[in-house]
Amino acid sequence: MSNKPKYLVIKNQLKELILSGEYSAGTKIPSEAKLREQFGVSRHTIRQSIAELVNEGFLKKEQGSGTYVNDQNQQRVKETGNKTIGVITTYLSDYIFPSIIRGMEETLSESGYSLLLSSTQNDVQNEKRSLEMMLEKQVDGLIVEPTKSALLNPNLNYYLKIQEAGIPCVSINASYEELDIPEIRIDDTLANEMLTTHLLDLGHERISMITKTDDMQGKSRMKGFIRAFSKEKKSFDDKLIVTFDTETKEELADKIQVLLHLEDLPTAFVCYNDQIAMTVIEQINAIGKNIPDDFSIVSHDNSFLSTASDVKLTSINHPKEQLGKEAANWIIQALEKPSFKKESIIYQPELIIRESSKKSTEE
């Protein structure tokens, strides 16, 4: 049970209805009597909640007519000249994200924009809170990394609300299939096709693919894996496909151990990213085997992890800081140049071959 006063709880619920577009700009909200019935509270509580929202500019009262959702809130009228760009990523402080954000921050600050950062931990409830905050803070533009992008997202209406408010929006690393939002990302299907073809060219046929199922990157990379086998007119063993999602990532080590105890072992692994590759290498070392003598391993992102271990990883390069800069520049141009074409930027993958992949010893 919330310790907040009732009027604040109701205020926040009403604000959520406004920000999500349930109560859209210029429309009249339900009467006090209906709101009392809906929320099961007194007239006094409803009036306090509405007074707060009027004070904050979300609602406006029209004498003798009722209370309306304030158009000004949707138009993001600001008293200050400071422009703020919202950035929502799945994570902030680990892996490749600090480099991406550094690129954004540098480019935005050079042009006099400030940054409002938020992360979702790849959780849709967190994404909802982030989107509500961005609307409430009236950001001028939004750079977003989709949350659980391979699944139907319950927050799609917030993105329509952002479009309706005229806020330029671009997605990074992935996109929502249901929305027409320009994206800045690598061609993940081609990237994984290149990694898989590299292993097939080295004579590996029993290749394990370890991929993530709740993000579009994982879905696209699986497509690339299949395409590489298809072009070689070869088939793969589906017992060697290992999947995980945000919630089951911790179980991955056990799944890899099961693979490593099969009678007919894989000879190579294609990993979802360098973090996953590290988990695979740990499990291989745990059974007294090593990379690349016993198994070859390839990966995505060319992160600091790819050169941090004893064996340097063959990996697809992720442009990281460049992507951050280009996303920031995209938003700046969308805001400042009426003629700017809001198009996607898709990077061609770059394969960096290092020590972790070698010719198969199998006949």
Side-chain angles (χ1 to χ4, degrees):
M1 193 71 184
S2 174
N3 293 325
K4 285 182 182 174
K6 271 187 186 172
Y7 79 90
L8 279 180
V9 174
I10 307 302
K11 173 198 154 183
N12 288 335
Q13 288 179 350
L14 288 170
K15 191 193 286 184
E16 194 175 303
L17 290 169
I18 294 166
L19 293 172
S20 69
E22 193 81 20
Y23 294 166
S24 57
T27 60
K28 188 175 175 179
I29 67 166
S31 66
E32 276 184 13
K34 281 190 179 164
L35 289 172
R36 275 177 60 203
E37 192 183 327
Q38 184 180 336
F39 294 108
V41 293
S42 69
R43 177 182 281 128
H44 175 70
T45 301
I46 291 294
R47 282 184 176 170
Q48 265 186 297
S49 306
I50 288 171
E52 289 257 333
L53 291 168
V54 168
N55 187 45
E56 289 179 19
F58 285 92
L59 296 174
K60 61 178 174 185
K61 280 184 172 291
E62 290 192 7
Q63 202 62 39
S65 175
T67 306
Y68 293 80
V69 177
N70 200 346
D71 282 306
Q72 278 201 332
N73 181 57
Q74 307 307 320
Q75 291 160 2
R76 306 176 340 277
V77 171
K78 294 189 177 181
E79 290 169 14
T80 68
N82 185 34
K83 289 187 175 174
T84 304
I85 305 303
V87 176
I88 302 173
T89 56
T90 48
Y91 302 98
L92 288 179
S93 57
D94 64 348
Y95 196 46
I96 61 174
F97 293 98
S99 299
I100 295 172
I101 290 158
R102 188 164 57 246
M104 288 178 190
E105 207 154 22
E106 202 177 289
T107 305
L108 289 169
S109 63
E110 278 171 9
S111 295
Y113 290 83
S114 58
L115 202 64
L116 180 61
L117 275 173
S118 184
S119 76
T120 68
Q121 304 295 310
N122 215 31
D123 177 274
V124 292
Q125 278 303 113
N126 290 341
E127 183 191 41
K128 181 184 175 187
R129 284 191 281 272
S130 295
L131 288 164
E132 284 175 352
M133 178 183 77
M134 296 302 171
L135 282 162
E136 190 178 335
K137 300 284 186 189
Q138 302 177 3
V139 294
D140 293 277
L142 185 64
I143 299 168
V144 63
E145 183 189 33
T147 290
K148 289 187 180 288
S149 50
L151 310 178
L152 182 61
N153 187 288
N155 301 321
L156 296 179
N157 200 39
Y158 282 91
Y159 289 101
L160 296 181
K161 191 73 188 160
I162 284 156
Q163 287 178 334
E164 185 192 338
I167 302 169
C169 180
V170 67
S171 69
I172 60 166
N173 291 334
S175 63
Y176 291 121
E177 284 184 310
E178 301 85 358
L179 296 173
D180 291 322
I181 293 176
E183 50 188 322
I184 302 175
R185 61 167 176 83
I186 289 176
D187 184 336
D188 282 294
T189 303
L190 180 57
N192 213 60
E193 183 185 337
M194 286 166 71
L195 286 174
T196 310
T197 301
H198 170 66
L199 291 174
L200 288 166
D201 288 348
L202 290 171
H204 296 278
E205 291 194 11
R206 289 193 58 74
I207 303 172
S208 170
M209 171 78 197
I210 300 176
T211 195
K212 200 164 187 274
T213 54
D214 55 351
D215 289 332
M216 276 305 291
Q217 294 97 311
K219 200 172 171 180
S220 299
R221 289 168 192 177
M222 189 67 216
K223 190 176 173 183
F225 179 81
I226 294 166
R227 190 188 284 172
F229 273 89
S230 172
K231 283 185 178 175
E232 296 283 331
K233 296 188 168 44
K234 290 178 179 173
S235 60
F236 57 86
D237 183 347
D238 57 9
K239 289 196 295 295
L240 303 183
I241 306 300
V242 176
T243 61
F244 68 99
D245 60 22
T246 305
E247 288 71 34
T248 60
K249 191 177 173 184
E250 301 306 312
E251 299 163 21
L252 201 48
D254 294 337
K255 289 184 177 181
I256 293 160
Q257 276 303 319
V258 170
L259 263 192
L260 294 173
H261 286 86
L262 288 174
E263 196 175 327
D264 206 355
L265 286 171
T267 64
F269 292 84
V270 180
C271 298
Y272 173 76
N273 65 16
D274 295 341
Q275 278 182 327
I276 300 306
M278 290 297 117
T279 302
V280 176
I281 291 169
E282 278 170 25
Q283 297 311 309
I284 286 168
N285 291 342
I287 61 162
K289 304 279 187 183
N290 68 60
I291 306 290
D293 296 332
D294 301 302
F295 301 94
S296 283
I297 188 163
V298 297
S299 179
H300 287 263
D301 293 340
N302 190 32
S303 70
F304 66 95
L305 292 172
S306 64
T307 54
S309 61
D310 293 341
V311 178
K312 312 295 181 247
L313 276 176
T314 293
S315 190
I316 292 283
N317 187 44
H318 187 294
K320 305 180 229 5
E321 204 159 327
Q322 181 195 346
L323 181 143
K325 286 180 176 179
E326 293 209 54
N329 196 43
W330 191 102
I331 284 287
I332 291 165
Q333 291 196 78
L335 283 165
E336 296 181 2
K337 288 187 182 172
S339 61
F340 177 64
K341 287 182 179 170
K342 296 173 183 172
E343 292 174 339
S344 296
I345 300 168
I346 312 295
Y347 299 109
Q348 289 305 292
E350 177 196 356
L351 175 62
I352 296 167
I353 299 170
R354 297 196 183 98
E355 306 153 12
S356 67
S357 51
K358 67 178 248 184
K359 275 190 182 293
S360 170
T361 53
E362 284 205 334
E363 289 301 318

